[in-house]
Amino acid sequence: LTAAAPPEREVARAAAALPYQDPALPVPQRVEDLLGRMTLDDKLGQMTQIEKDALVPRSDLATYRIGSVLSGGDSTVSPNNAQTWADTYDSLQRTALSTPLGIPMIYGIDAVHGHNAVRGATLFPHNIGLGATRDPALVRRIGRAVAEEVAGTGIDWSFAPCLCVARNDRWGRTYESFGETPELPTSMTSFITGLQGDALGGDPASVLATAKHYLGDGGTTGGVDQGDTRLSEAELRAIHLPPFREAVERGVGSVMLSYSSWNGVRSHAHKYLVTDVLKGELGFTGFVVSDWAAVDQLDGQTGFTGAEIATAVNAGVDMVMVPHDYRKFLSLLRGEVGAGRIPLARVDDANRRILTKKFRLGLFERPLTDRSYTSTVGSAAHRTLARQAVRASQVLLKNEGGVLPLPKTGRLFVAGKSADDIGNQSGGWTVGWQGRSGPVTEGTTVLQGIRAAVADPSRVTYDRYGNGIDGGYTAAVAVVGETPYAEMRGDRPGDMGLDQEDLQTLARLEASGVPVVVVLVSGRPLDIADRLPDWKALLAAWLPGTEGGGVADVLFGDHAPTGKLPMTWMRGASQQPVNDGDGKSPLFPYGHGLTYGTDPGPDPDPEPSPPKACTATHRTVTSWPGGHQAEVTVKNTGTGPLTGWTIDWDLGGAAVTSLWNGTHSVANGRITVRNTSTNGTLAAGATTTFGYTANGGPGTPAPRCTPA
């Protein structure tokens, strides 16, 4: 290849008369016009995404017609601020525009809990905390705030949200999941609308969203990262597919594949899942991007091969995150196309998908950073929103004797390695891939939030290790838990408890006789059952991000806790995997969460028990040749509380293959489903659901509900 780089203004003048440069024309017409003018080099370049720091020299972006650039988890700029990021983006974009056709690049980054690569950006709670809020509208507003901060640095594309359904808390990416049931991540796809807007490119802050990681990465055996998800197709569809179906319905622009495998076949090689199910059955019209160097891993050996590339592209990968050796990759890709092992029609399909999103985003008309958004990075308005998200994510698990909320006039002792550490409370993917402890970015620690909340900050004593406490304090607040990690390094195949420093700190506090309030900063439930009796209160703070004041808001009762567990809380590590409806007895069930002032008092003169009644409504969620998935909603239609229920109906020849949120038996062609320990109690008017998959057609079931 040879570089051809006429001055930018000459390109603009020459291209102005071409149909693909006319914003008044329909996007499909512009795409077809541009596609007809592209050389094979142009097309192969559009399918290539490379790491910014691997681009040497920078002119290679134009020389090799590269269509996309990314910053990996540890890729940064110097100095690390929004202005430098925007300047870097614009410099690269001008290089991309210098090619004969002037096709803009699209720049991707992992903005997974805010624009987390940028020092000073607003960092929101990781997804596990957002799942605890049960508030899709709030999550949509967060998506919009993230889009503004990302757009303010020029970047067009975020590798978010993660729609994994985490089924084993040993997995090091558990905190990237909104929850363990398909319904919770599905509801939180509102984040996509926040990022992209109601229509992609509808305003200058529209950022392309990514639904990841397709499919089943949260279901691997043992919770092993990049492992194997061993499930029947019906179970895969029932548990892991629904969030992606909803993402497609919302018009998500891209889908990233998973490193994991399904029954031994890697996702990047799975044509059935990618082309047949995602693009065909679900109707996904965006483009599929590989994960970091994932295509290079298909044969288990280091270094690209043509066979790996052909396998992935033919399976449905449209853009390959190379990310480093782009010259070798392009040479091999060209060879596979030239030999006919990758059809040119597949190359054109990939280009149509990619170019369509570039046109929709307005990159041809607005290729450079909109600097009006640069000042939103870390803005007061966004930090206020993040603080709201933090307090909504807090889950109160224990509050013996009503020790919480704490009095603002009390004498408090604060301890723990995460009490005054912005890095610990932000977790992984914070100004670096794995994150790290310490003052990695700007924000408010939990300790700072506590001091700001009390009437007299001098009455708050802090020692990380709990040294110096005596019996003269109103309460001791221990902020303990996990230190930052991300995928690979975050897996916990053995012990899942607190570390020795935490245990020793807690022992010092407990020995004082002062009531101990534990604030647990972690990316997942931890094994704390044996320690819980020694604590008066336990607040799950997850990984709250930069606005620790939101934790203090709940500790002191300015806002009552409203969060509900997005994950079942284990009794011990040996219980993993433990999930809602699996029949295991957890320490705290999925959906558990206390609040203040709701303990019922004794009733000296109880009323007669009100009549009990319930109904069951059947809904077919989806069907496929030879099978279907359905959901049954149980409603308490009586005037008093329901303490249990039984649903039965005629299967009409169908055979149930899996069922969740209930226990079932089948006799004489009729199924009976009973509540679990966590969903049998329903207040008057309340509902709960269970779901199942079955072989055979859905028919027209008429379920009958019997109250317990």
Side-chain angles (χ1 to χ4, degrees):
L1 291 174
T2 57
E8 188 177 342
R9 72 183 68 176
E10 291 183 22
V11 172
R13 188 184 308 121
L18 299 176
Y20 76 89
Q21 292 286 0
D22 184 354
L25 293 177
V27 166
Q29 187 175 335
R30 298 176 74 185
V31 170
E32 290 306 316
D33 179 73
L34 176 55
L35 200 61
R37 300 173 190 277
M38 294 169 70
T39 66
L40 182 59
D41 289 338
D42 291 323
K43 293 176 181 179
L44 301 186
Q46 288 300 304
M47 298 172 68
T48 306
Q49 184 181 57
I50 61 175
E51 160 62 46
K52 167 180 66 69
D53 295 339
L55 193 59
V56 180
R58 288 292 176 95
S59 60
D60 272 2
L61 186 63
T63 302
Y64 291 93
R65 309 292 194 262
I66 303 299
S68 182
V69 176
L70 84 149
S71 283
D74 289 322
S75 179
T76 189
V77 297
S78 183
N80 185 353
N81 58 46
Q83 184 72 38
T84 313
W85 278 97
D87 292 344
T88 302
Y89 173 91
D90 283 356
S91 174
L92 289 166
Q93 188 66 283
R94 288 189 177 98
T95 302
L97 294 170
S98 70
T99 55
L101 293 172
I103 303 174
M105 67 161 187
I106 185 170
Y107 199 119
I109 199 164
D110 286 275
V112 297
H113 66 130
H115 201 2
N116 42 258
V118 182
R119 186 179 177 98
T122 310
L123 300 188
F124 295 86
H126 270 293
N127 285 355
I128 191 171
L130 297 184
T133 71
R134 296 297 204 278
D135 191 342
L138 174 64
V139 168
R140 175 174 175 166
R141 290 170 61 204
I142 291 169
R144 171 64 191 193
V146 175
E148 290 180 356
E149 297 203 12
V150 170
T153 61
I155 295 173
D156 336 281
W157 178 13
S158 174
F159 303 137
C162 186
L163 298 179
C164 51
V165 182
R167 304 290 288 177
N168 190 319
D169 299 340
R170 295 187 181 279
W171 188 38
R173 305 190 79 149
T174 295
Y175 66 78
E176 295 187 54
S177 172
F178 290 110
E180 71 182 32
T181 66
E183 294 80 11
L184 196 44
T186 297
S187 70
M188 295 305 177
T189 56
S190 56
F191 187 84
I192 293 168
T193 307
L195 273 182
Q196 296 189 164
D198 291 325
L200 186 63
D203 65 71
S206 182
V207 168
L208 193 80
T210 308
K212 68 181 188 184
H213 301 87
Y214 186 84
L215 180 67
D217 55 339
T220 62
T221 300
V224 174
D225 191 53
Q226 303 188 22
D228 191 13
T229 298
R230 295 197 165 273
L231 294 173
S232 68
E233 181 173 345
E235 291 170 316
L236 186 76
R237 285 175 172 271
I239 297 170
H240 298 282
L241 190 62
F244 290 92
R245 183 185 302 277
E246 182 63 23
V248 171
E249 287 292 319
R250 285 184 178 269
V252 70
S254 68
V255 169
M256 183 182 291
L257 302 186
S258 173
Y259 286 117
S260 64
S261 303
W262 175 42
N263 293 339
V265 180
R266 290 182 181 266
S267 296
H268 284 76
H270 217 300
K271 186 174 183 180
Y272 172 69
L273 287 182
V274 180
T275 296
D276 296 349
V277 176
L278 177 63
K279 294 181 175 181
E281 180 184 325
L282 269 59
F284 175 60
T285 59
F287 63 90
V288 172
V289 63
S290 77
D291 208 336
W292 178 278
V295 172
D296 185 10
Q297 297 181 17
L298 284 180
D299 63 4
Q301 305 295 318
T302 301
F304 273 112
T305 65
E308 287 176 313
I309 295 169
T311 296
V313 173
N314 288 330
V317 174
D318 301 305
M319 182 186 289
V320 176
M321 191 185 294
V322 175
H324 292 113
D325 195 354
Y326 51 90
R327 296 181 185 90
K328 181 179 180 181
F329 168 77
L330 280 164
S331 175
L332 290 170
L333 177 59
R334 169 178 273 281
E336 294 302 300
V337 175
R341 289 186 288 270
I342 298 177
L344 192 56
R346 174 79 269 271
V347 172
D348 286 347
D349 173 56
N351 272 261
R352 282 189 186 92
R353 290 170 176 272
I354 295 164
L355 293 171
T356 295
K357 296 309 174 186
K358 290 186 175 184
F359 279 116
R360 297 277 185 212
L361 276 168
L363 289 179
F364 284 81
E365 288 71 54
R366 304 183 301 273
L368 303 180
T369 306
D370 185 338
R371 303 286 174 141
S372 68
Y373 287 104
T374 307
S375 62
T376 69
V377 177
S379 68
H382 290 171
R383 290 185 182 277
T384 297
L385 177 62
R387 182 169 179 169
Q388 178 186 346
V390 171
R391 61 187 181 235
S393 70
Q394 305 298 290
V395 181
L396 182 61
L397 296 173
K398 180 180 180 180
N399 192 21
E400 185 179 323
V403 66
L404 292 180
L406 295 170
K408 293 185 178 182
T409 56
R411 187 167 174 245
L412 301 176
F413 194 99
V414 180
K417 66 175 183 286
S418 297
D420 197 30
D421 194 307
I422 203 79
N424 283 359
Q425 74 186 43
S426 296
W429 291 105
T430 299
V431 198
W433 174 37
Q434 294 287 329
R436 60 182 174 87
S437 301
V440 296
T441 191
E442 286 74 53
T444 302
T445 66
V446 175
L447 175 64
Q448 289 170 331
I450 289 172
R451 284 178 168 156
V454 297
D456 181 359
S458 69
R459 291 174 63 79
V460 175
T461 301
Y462 167 67
D463 183 86
R464 170 173 172 158
Y465 304 102
N467 293 318
I469 190 172
D470 58 37
Y473 290 90
T474 307
V477 180
V479 189
V480 296
E482 295 185 303
T483 50
Y485 57 83
E487 67 218 74
M488 298 173 67
R489 300 178 201 173
D491 286 3
R492 295 188 67 167
D495 173 69
M496 296 186 71
L498 299 170
D499 64 23
Q500 282 305 305
E501 179 185 331
D502 286 343
L503 294 174
Q504 290 167 7
T505 299
L506 286 163
R508 294 184 187 102
L509 302 182
E510 291 158 6
S512 72
V514 170
V516 175
V517 174
V518 173
V519 176
L520 197 61
V521 173
S522 67
R524 56 190 142 202
L526 297 182
D527 187 350
I528 47 85
D530 61 336
R531 310 294 310 181
L532 190 59
D534 297 325
W535 307 338
K536 287 293 185 182
L538 173 60
L539 187 69
W542 312 111
L543 298 171
T546 55
E547 307 313 305
V551 179
D553 288 340
V554 171
L555 285 174
F556 292 98
D558 291 327
H559 294 270
T562 56
K564 304 296 181 185
L565 282 182
M567 310 282 179
T568 301
W569 203 289
M570 72 191 110
R571 287 192 176 275
S574 62
Q575 204 177 32
Q576 290 293 337
V578 54
N579 292 291
D580 187 41
D582 62 10
K584 298 178 182 179
S585 176
L587 183 63
F588 299 110
Y590 174 84
H592 178 72
L594 306 174
T595 192
Y596 298 149
T598 57
D599 292 336
D603 187 351
D605 186 22
E607 296 294 325
S609 297
K612 297 179 179 180
C614 59
T615 59
T617 306
H618 185 282
R619 178 177 72 91
T620 301
V621 175
T622 186
S623 61
W624 56 91
H628 66 278
Q629 176 187 339
E631 179 182 84
V632 176
T633 299
V634 182
K635 182 175 183 178
N636 179 2
T637 55
T639 57
L642 198 64
T643 56
W645 45 262
T646 301
I647 312 297
D648 65 295
W649 72 92
D650 194 311
L651 287 169
V656 171
T657 54
S658 66
L659 186 141
W660 53 97
N661 295 347
T663 60
H664 74 285
S665 59
V666 177
N668 301 318
R670 194 169 183 84
I671 185 172
T672 300
V673 181
R674 292 179 175 83
N675 61 274
T676 69
S677 61
T678 63
N679 64 0
T681 302
L682 296 176
T687 62
T688 188
T689 62
F690 65 86
Y692 70 92
T693 57
N695 294 329
T700 55
R704 177 181 60 184
C705 182
T706 305

